[in-house]
């Protein structure tokens, strides 16, 4: 019987379970660490390689083509009598929402750092996210076999940029190509990987090499002092005996890890299979089990309640991921309390409704492989089949003991593209495919632009959107066209025109039509950036007044003229954009006793204003308006110069700048058309540490002649490509 089958049949006590994630910047080696864990624990019998596309957790075709992790993948293995439920998370910033959803359900994590690069931007970002969820971590400095690898420099970057107390428990034996083992500073022993070549299968324990004994003793003393400063029990022993024993040191490291006051640092080379066994020992020794973490909190009728991690308590679980597979619709759950058996009914609760559904099957997930279970208990991470309405963030609970758990937050999308099927017959299929895509990935948003009629797909970055579109193409066989969304421009008058006379006379037998109007058209003074007048449909984007005296135009006809003028605002003379920011005054008019009607005056109002706008355009008295957004950029102090220069190149106008928590916060107004590709550009200029938010504030005159061509439209980009498309998956690195 292979290990996945054995694992499926295990019933583990809570203390023997570890739910952890692998976190890091892209290319730090997360997936390779996961592969080696599966190999060392006997879960797999061959080491998978990212560059060969043979890894267990990167099983999606796009992940293998691009060589990066895109989707969080769950696997299970056993080590030293413990079950380890492990989630390999993406490292690219565009897929950070997958990391957040995973962190929400984890009890601990291994943060992987490159021994050459140290703390990189996305590793800093995921570390902060883990802080927010209170997830205990240990650190693994990977790739010590690389040229330029430096454990001390990597540890210094952890101290400076992440601010925990790094507690280094190992000393490398050899460096770069000569790295072949570590000194365990707790037990003062050497661990050497047997064959001295690449990918040794076993580890040999021995005495500390004589050449490293003095350095090992010095580092052991530094470790004891650092732990004694943070842990009262270790401090008492240190003061009494001037040293700290290995058992006391191990207990203190466990306590400091779980409180977050310190982070245990190990090292190795996952690619060469060195350092994995001690890492697994550290996971078992220092990271908490489900019984060690506080009881989960939820709400019931507005009151807060707790559910202990007890298999006999009422059932409560959180859905953190939904995928569609050949097996069916899989809903991934973290079970916090109680027990669920296949065939049982559960209540599915979310912000919109409460539904009762029946669990068809329960699966122990091994990436894209599954082993069936009869039940899942508190502390388990499993997938279930049969739930049609559960979404990421839904709570599943016993119908007679409802509880709503806090769902993971979803970040606001920052990049958008327009998508459409190349053939009209595929439009319905595309709509259905987009709905399934959003169901699986809540960080994607699909909307229909009311003004342009386009279907707009928004996400966390250009690579994120490219992957989403490619998934539709591969999974659904749809030919999808992708391009920049149309920007909703406006047109307005910049100089008034007075005394425009228009007579609408129509006689073709029977009742005729007669309407005589005299209009004046002038710009609204309020039509400036940042006002409500920018939103053309609002009352302040268009004003109508009547200055008719003596009842020459009855009131019902005045209302008809206003309605006709509003009809004319839908399409301006410059480029067919809606017209806004003008005031129309009905100065005078005349009626016919038989042929005048509301329809006639509405037609007269529409045609009169349309003629006036065409005349203004010919005379150069109309202008094109472009949407403007207020952008707030947060970036490291050292990157502010590049951020300001880039904003200026995008016709941005800086309106404020402050410093907050060591970072600069810059506020500017920028034309929306200039923001395409900005997310990737900002990450590139700030080494991935910069973020921005944007909100629409109005319209402003577009530069250049009033030709009707949208600024920035002649970008030269192929209409079927993503803006700033990154096809090798390295944007922002």
């Amino acid at each position: 019987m292979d290990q996945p089958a054995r694992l499926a049949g295990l019933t583990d006590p809570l203390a023997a379970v570890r739910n952890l994630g692998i976190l890091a910047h892209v290319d730090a080696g997360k997936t390779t660490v996961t592969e080696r864990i599966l190999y060392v624990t006997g879960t797999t019998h061959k080491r998978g390689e990212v560059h060969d596309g043979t890894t267990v957790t990167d099983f999606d075709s796009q992940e293998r083509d691009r060589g990066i992790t895109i989707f969080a993948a769950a696997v299970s293995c056993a080590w030293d009598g413990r079950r380890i439920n492990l989630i390999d998370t993406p490292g690219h910033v565009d897929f950070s929402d997958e990391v957040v959803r995973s962190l929400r359900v984890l009890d601990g994590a291994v943060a992987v750092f490159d021994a050459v690069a140290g703390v990189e931007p996305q590793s800093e970002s995921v570390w902060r996210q883990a802080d927010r969820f209170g997830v205990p971590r240990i650190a693994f400095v990977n790739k010590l076999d690389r040229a330029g690898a430096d454990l001390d420099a990597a540890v210094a970057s952890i101290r400076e940029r992440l601010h925990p107390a790094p507690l280094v428990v190992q000393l490398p034996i050899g460096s770069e190509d000569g790295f072949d083992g570590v000194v365990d500073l707790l037990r003062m022993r050497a661990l050497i990987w047997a064959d001295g070549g690449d990918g040794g299968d076993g580890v040999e324990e021995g005495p500390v090499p004589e050449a490293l004994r003095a350095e090992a003793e010095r580092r052991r003393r530094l470790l004891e002092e650092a732990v004694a400063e943070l842990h009262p029990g270790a401090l008492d022993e240190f003061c009494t005996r001037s040293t700290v024993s290995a058992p006391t040191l191990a207990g203190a490291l466990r306590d400091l890890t779980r409180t977050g006051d310190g982070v245990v640092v190990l090292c190795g080379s996952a690619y060469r299979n060195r350092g994995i066994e001690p890492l697994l020992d550290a996971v078992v020794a220092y990271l908490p089990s489900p019984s060690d973490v506080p009881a989960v909190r939820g709400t019931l009728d507005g009151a807060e309640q707790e559910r202990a991690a007890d298999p006999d308590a009422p059932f409560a679980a959180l859905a953190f991921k939904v995928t569609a597979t050949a097996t069916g619709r899989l809903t991934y759950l973290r079970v916090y309390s109680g027990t669920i058996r296949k065939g049982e009914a559960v209540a599915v609760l979310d912000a919109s409704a409460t539904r009762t559904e029946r669990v068809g099957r329960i699966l122990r997930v091994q990436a894209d492989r599954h082993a069936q279970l009869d039940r899942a208990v508190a502390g388990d991470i499993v997938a279930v089949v049969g739930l049609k309405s559960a979404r990421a963030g839904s709570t599943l609970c016993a119908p007679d003991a409802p509880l709503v758990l806090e769902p993971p937050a979803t970040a606001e999308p920052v990049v958008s593209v327009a998508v459409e099927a190349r053939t009209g017959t595929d439009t319905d299929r595309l709509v259905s495919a987009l709905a399934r895509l959003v169901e699986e990935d809540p960080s994607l948003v699909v909307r229909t632009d009311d003004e342009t009629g386009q279907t707009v797909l928004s996400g966390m970055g250009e690579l994120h959107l490219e992957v989403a579109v490619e998934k539709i193409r591969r999974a659904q066989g749809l030919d999808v066209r992708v391009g920049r969304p149309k920007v909703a421009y406006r047109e307005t008058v910049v100089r008034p025109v007075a005394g425009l006379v228009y007579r609408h006379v129509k006689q073709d037998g029977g009742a005729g039509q007669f309407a005589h109007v005299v209009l004046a058209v002038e710009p609204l003074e309020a039509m400036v950036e940042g006002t409500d007048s920018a939103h053309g449909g609002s009352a302040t984007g268009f004003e109508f007044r009547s200055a008719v005296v003596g009842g020459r135009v009855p009131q019902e006809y005045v209302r008809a003229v206003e309605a006709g003028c509003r009809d004319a605002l839908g399409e301006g003379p410059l480029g067919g954009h809606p017209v806004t920011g003008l005031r129309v005054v009905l100065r005078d008019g005349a009626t016919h006793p038989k042929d005048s009607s509301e329809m006639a005056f509405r037609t007269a109002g529409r045609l009169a204003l349309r003629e006036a706008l065409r005349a203004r355009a010919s005379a150069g008295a109309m202008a094109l308006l472009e949407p403007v957004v207020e952008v707030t950029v947060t970036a490291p102090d050292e990157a502010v110069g590049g951020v300001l220069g880039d904003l200026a190149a995008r016709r941005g106008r800086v309106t404020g700048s402050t410093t907050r928590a060591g970072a600069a916060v810059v506020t500017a107004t920028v034309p929306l058309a200039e923001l395409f590709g900005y997310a990737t550009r900002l990450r590139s200029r700030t080494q991935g540490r910069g973020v921005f938010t944007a909100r629409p504030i109005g319209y402003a005159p577009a530069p250049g002649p009033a030709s009707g061509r949208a600024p920035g439209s002649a970008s030269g980009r192929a209409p079927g490509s993503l803006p700033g498309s990154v096809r090798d998956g390295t944007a922002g690195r």
Side-chain angles (χ1 to χ4, degrees), residues 5 27 85 119 133 155 251 292 320 355 387 389 411 428 432 449 454 492 511 520 537 592 594 599 615 619 670 682:
D27 286 340
N85 296 320
V119 176
F133 287 106
V155 171
D292 296 323
F320 66 95
R355 298 160 296 275
L387 303 182
S389 61
D428 290 342
S432 177
D449 192 297
Q454 289 180 305
T492 192
H592 186 277
K594 292 184 178 181
M599 181 184 295
V670 185
L682 176 64

Side-chain angles (χ1 to χ4, degrees), residues 82-315:
R82 275 81 167 182
R83 179 201 299 284
I84 298 175
N85 296 320
L86 189 152
I87 298 180
D88 180 22
T89 64
H92 198 286
V93 65
D94 280 17
F95 309 106
S96 57
D97 209 60
E98 285 269 323
V99 182
V100 171
R101 291 197 298 273
S102 299
L103 282 171
R104 174 64 179 82
V105 299
L106 295 175
D107 300 324
V110 174
V112 180
F113 301 95
D114 188 314
V116 177
V119 176
E120 296 177 272
Q122 181 62 2
S123 51
E124 184 177 358
S125 175
V126 297
W127 189 275
R128 303 298 180 214
Q129 291 164 349
D131 280 342
R132 192 167 71 248
F133 287 106
V135 177
R137 281 140 283 168
I138 59 177
F140 182 72
V141 179
N142 191 27
K143 302 188 178 183
L144 276 179
D145 59 323
R146 285 185 60 192
D150 188 333
L151 174 62
D152 292 337
V155 171
S157 70
I158 292 173
R159 180 182 295 107
E160 293 166 5
R161 295 184 63 175
L162 304 181
H163 309 298
L167 306 171
V168 183
V169 299
Q170 291 177 340
L171 170 67
I173 299 176
S175 61
E176 299 181 355
D177 282 344
F179 170 70
D180 57 11
V182 298
V183 173
D184 176 0
L185 297 178
L186 265 72
R187 296 178 176 83
M188 293 302 288
R189 58 177 181 164
L191 301 174
I192 307 293
W193 276 266
D195 64 355
D198 292 343
D201 288 338
V203 59
E204 295 181 353
E205 180 180 340
V208 177
E210 194 62 34
L212 291 175
R213 179 168 295 278
E215 179 64 13
E217 290 176 350
R218 185 183 74 85
R219 290 184 179 245
R220 167 62 184 257
R221 183 69 175 181
L222 292 174
L223 175 62
E224 291 177 358
E225 292 173 352
V227 171
E229 287 181 1
L230 298 169
H231 192 274
L235 178 60
D236 290 343
E237 185 171 318
F238 186 81
C239 291
T240 302
R241 302 174 51 190
S242 298
T243 187
V244 182
S245 65
T248 301
L249 205 55
L253 290 173
R254 179 174 59 251
D255 294 341
L256 293 173
T257 298
R258 296 178 183 182
T259 61
D261 294 324
V263 56
V264 173
V265 180
L266 301 98
C267 60
S269 169
Y271 179 67
R272 296 175 71 178
N273 212 46
R274 293 171 183 174
I276 301 303
E277 294 93 340
L279 176 62
L280 286 166
D281 290 337
V283 165
V284 169
Y286 305 132
L287 291 179
S289 70
S291 60
D292 296 323
V293 299
V296 68
R297 293 177 178 269
T299 58
L300 176 60
D301 297 328
E304 190 173 90
Q305 289 193 357
E306 288 186 350
R307 289 278 173 89
D310 181 356
D312 296 325
F315 173 69

Side-chain angles (χ1 to χ4, degrees), residues 55-60 64 73-75 325 327 330 332 365-370:
T55 57
V56 172
T57 54
D58 285 355
F59 57 85
D60 184 84
R64 293 184 171 180
V75 292
T325 69
T327 307
L330 297 185
Y332 290 75
V365 180
Q366 204 72 5
D368 58 341
R369 299 168 56 201
H370 313 110

Side-chain angles (χ1 to χ4, degrees), residues 362-403:
I362 303 174
L363 305 174
R364 178 78 69 197
V365 180
Q366 204 72 5
D368 58 341
R369 299 168 56 201
H370 313 110
Q372 294 204 40
L373 300 172
D374 292 329
R375 62 187 180 119
V377 301
D380 273 339
I381 293 179
V382 296
V384 298
V385 181
L387 303 182
K388 298 180 180 179
S389 61
R391 303 288 184 267
S394 297
T395 298
L396 277 68
C397 58
D400 57 349
L403 185 75

